[in-house]
Amino acid sequence: MQESDTIQPLTWHEHIYRGENRLRVALVGQHNSGKSTIFHAVASTSYRTGKLTGTHKPYAECPVQIGADEVHLVDLPDLQSLRDLQGDDLEALKYLLWGDARPLISRHERSEPPAPFSRPDVLVYVIDASSLQQSLELALELPELGLPVVIALNMMDEAHRKGVEIDKDLLSEKLGVPVIPTVALKGHGLTELFQQILKTGRKPVCPLPQPASPHIQAWAKKLHEAIDQPEINEAFAMPGSMLTMNLLEKDAYFLSEFESHFPETLPAIRALHSEADKTLPRPLTDEVHADRHHRSVVLFEDVARLVHKPKISWEDRLDMLFLHPSWGLIGSLSVFAAVLFMVFEVSTALDAMSAARLADMVSGWQPDTATGVIGRAVVDGLIGLIGIVVPYMLPLVLMLVALEESGIMHRIAFVVDRFFHAIGLHGKVAVPFLLGLGCNVPAIAATKGLSSGRDRVVSSLLITFVPCSARSAIVLALGAKYLGVMGVFLLFTLSLLVIAILGRLLSHRYPEISPGMIQEIPAYGWPKMQPLLSSTWSRTRDILTIVTPLLVGGSVILALLQFAGADQIINTALAPVTVWALGLPAVLGVPILFGVLRKELSLVMIYQALGTFEVGQVLDSIQITTFLVFLLFYIPCVSTFAVMLKVIGRKEAFFSIALSIGVALIVALITRFFLTGMHGLT
Ligand SMILES: Nc1nc2c(ncn2[C@@H]2O[C@H](COP(=O)(O)OP(=O)(O)OP(=O)(O)O)[C@@H](O)[C@H]2O)c(=O)[nH]1
Ligand SMILES: [Mg+2]
């Protein structure tokens, strides 16, 4: 995600909703209209659930960040109507009316208020656009609650498929509320929806209740006059027009409360009911129902029309691939395959043409003076740099930027969001994780685009466990030869497992839950050359300045150590790890240490240290597995460390080193003892 996408222009004279000041927004609507889908599309990784007092159906609640503002979003159980409700539905209505307070008429019911939080500031009425007609009756009723309403005209894709065309502007004008079309399942329209919610919250205007037909209005007016008394208004603490309509429709709950609290007024109401029943062509309740139904049908006919053969655009077709709840995974997997192809075909070829060729050219230079050794080490460091930048960083960052510019990346992030939620992260980290398969350096750099500091740290820490192409190369070279396809597969599965477990553990270390976010789904577009190149350059430029000195410096130090004959010392110093813990020959100490420069160096050095290309003659399969497991997880290379210093700071970068060494040791030890145990059994 580009920074420009997350930063909203701020106007400071406007009220900012944050912390305790958050706007409370409730999602209401009929069963299966998409309330929970909207909620989960923007929810944070962890949200609160509970039950409204005396109900069985759960609500969910969490803060959501919208630019500089935050709202408290509440996903409520379904609500079919405001009239004649019973059981859970009635309790939901009580929450909408009274929030965390009990008015006089409801004090006797239970000690706890309807909900532990206040009544909403803004109502979002989620409508299934593909069956608009059924939703319009409630749309006519909702304004009676006296709350600002925004309509989310959801399932527009379904409506389109069924050939239902809706004039949303006319609908908005007729109902007096803003109407935003959405496809919650694909994240379309959610940004606009939440911007509108904020706008409505800032200038709250409650829509006027839709007037009933004149013959009903006349009775409503009479009834209103009978009950319009200050003590009644105070006791019910609800808009007078709603109480009037509820009593007119003989709503059981409100009538019974009226009976127990204002028995002296009840006879007047009853008299009015029977008079109306006699005068009107049908009983009053039926007449009011029929009138509302009629008005909703007229409204539907005004705003909607059926078209035959709806046109499906190529964007819709692409969205089926990228945003469909199950097909969408195929789209993401194909991008995953493209990244792998990039790494194993393009990057390897580029590497062979650039860094590998340069390394070949200098391989004959074997200096025997300290200055020569330093010179050679500097050259090695620079070649290492070219080996990271040319084959991996530039193509991968270029690909990342192209994915962002085309709008594909936002879709992948949207689809895989719920998987990442399981390890406490947001879907936006998906693409950095993918890039990590090529090289951890651009992957960690890409986490800079995440707006939450906590997510940046946690995903950077986890990305170091994604096997980059250098590590995969060693696993493939040694594993495929000595452990077989199954062995290699298990090693990669182990990486996935370690990342998942660590993700959960790290959630405890960084318990702060970042608020939910709206994932913007921009329109598709061809990436343009100029922004593509400049964006790629601006992302690689500052990494270069920080990676270069560390890579060259590290290379010089290690070369000097080797020149001074410190190999022996290094091997002895590392013996507790190599020999005691991992059960490997001491000579593997140097390759392990040098691996921090660039992991593929390890492979060459393993051959040198063991004195043979036939590793299987020196190490048994348990040793090879243990060694590979250790190599997979231990310290990220020095370039990764450098980029971490820049992205997550020194403290976390050092923590990452400690974490990777710790994890590598623990997992390698477990592997070793597990395999030895298995071996003993057979
Ligand atoms: N095609 C399509 N399906 C959607 C859309 N939004 C939600 N759905 C699907 O509609 C179904 C119901 O969605 P939910 O979000 O569970 O509906 P709800 O309003 O929370 O339902 P209740 O909690 O039972 O009231 C799910 O299968 C969603 O995947 C949409 O925009 N388009
Ligand atoms: Mg739901």
Side-chain angles (χ1 to χ4, degrees), residues 31-37 78 154-155 157-158 183-185:
H31 178 51
N32 271 348
S33 57
K35 300 177 292 296
S36 304
T37 310
D78 60 312
N154 192 35
M155 305 220 190
D157 56 336
E158 272 300 295
V183 184
L185 204 56

Side-chain angles (χ1 to χ4, degrees), residues 83-284:
R83 302 275 184 268
D84 232 355
L85 301 178
Q86 291 166 352
D88 286 6
D89 299 343
L90 178 60
E91 301 305 320
L93 176 66
K94 287 181 194 166
Y95 162 66
L96 292 178
L97 284 173
W98 304 313
D100 54 358
R102 283 256 182 226
L104 273 173
I105 58 137
S106 129
R107 290 236 170 109
H108 61 280
E109 293 180 34
R110 272 167 192 274
S111 47
E112 315 95 80
F117 40 76
S118 58
R119 84 186 283 236
D121 302 303
V122 177
L123 273 187
V124 178
Y125 179 33
V126 185
I127 288 182
D128 172 357
S130 69
S131 52
L132 179 67
Q133 194 177 335
Q134 285 87 313
S135 315
L136 287 180
E137 284 191 41
L138 183 56
L140 293 174
E141 286 177 288
L142 272 184
E144 288 176 15
L145 283 169
L147 288 170
V149 179
V150 174
I151 287 184
L153 201 53
N154 192 35
M155 305 220 190
M156 285 302 281
D157 56 336
E158 272 300 295
H160 188 65
R161 205 178 54 78
K162 287 188 188 168
V164 184
E165 220 178 64
I166 300 168
D167 185 341
K168 72 165 177 73
D169 295 328
L170 188 61
L171 181 64
S172 162
E173 191 190 312
K174 297 230 168 205
L175 289 174
V177 300
V179 173
I180 311 289
T182 60
V183 184
L185 204 56
K186 299 177 179 170
H188 288 311
L190 296 185
T191 311
E192 293 80 358
L193 176 65
F194 280 85
Q195 291 302 344
Q196 181 59 53
I197 291 171
L198 283 180
K199 210 164 138 194
T200 304
R202 288 213 166 86
K203 293 203 175 69
V205 181
C206 304
L208 284 178
Q210 297 284 317
S213 301
H215 66 297
I216 306 280
Q217 263 190 58
W219 290 104
K221 190 158 172 274
K222 280 189 200 167
L223 198 142
H224 183 68
E225 279 160 9
I227 61 164
D228 189 19
Q229 299 164 26
E231 57 276 26
I232 295 182
N233 291 339
E234 193 189 335
F236 279 88
M238 62 194 277
S241 58
M242 177 165 182
L243 184 60
T244 305
M245 288 316 285
N246 277 334
L247 294 176
L248 196 70
E249 277 195 46
K250 304 179 188 168
D251 180 295
Y253 171 74
F254 288 95
L255 266 182
S256 83
E257 290 304 330
F258 215 93
E259 185 168 11
S260 43
H261 295 274
F262 301 98
E264 65 287 355
T265 321
L266 194 68
I269 298 175
R270 294 263 191 239
L272 196 133
H273 281 160
S274 49
E275 202 188 329
D277 280 345
K278 276 189 230 131
T279 323
L280 290 165
R282 275 175 290 195
L284 177 63

Side-chain angles (χ1 to χ4, degrees), residues 589-617:
V590 170
I592 284 179
L593 187 66
F594 277 63
V596 291
L597 274 188
R598 222 185 134 189
K599 284 259 152 67
E600 56 267 51
L601 280 184
S602 298
L603 191 58
V604 184
M605 299 188 67
I606 293 161
Y607 296 144
Q608 279 173 3
L610 297 175
T612 171
F613 283 103
E614 292 305 322
V615 176
Q617 288 172 357

Side-chain angles (χ1 to χ4, degrees), residues 447-525:
T447 65
K448 270 197 339 196
L450 302 176
S451 55
S452 141
R454 176 226 178 247
D455 285 4
R456 212 175 306 147
V457 171
V458 175
S459 48
S460 295
L461 291 176
L462 289 180
I463 283 172
T464 60
F465 292 95
V466 174
C468 68
S469 58
R471 278 178 274 180
S472 303
I474 302 179
V475 172
L476 287 173
L478 289 184
K481 191 163 170 191
Y482 298 106
L483 307 175
V485 178
M486 197 60 193
V488 173
F489 176 75
L490 286 178
L491 279 172
F492 285 117
T493 315
L494 185 67
S495 293
L496 211 69
L497 196 71
V498 166
I499 292 173
I501 295 175
L502 274 181
R504 296 219 66 114
L505 291 179
L506 286 175
S507 302
H508 294 289
R509 182 178 149 94
Y510 304 92
E512 172 203 342
I513 306 260
S514 32
M517 269 186 278
I518 301 160
Q519 301 208 46
E520 197 168 349
I521 309 287
Y524 287 106

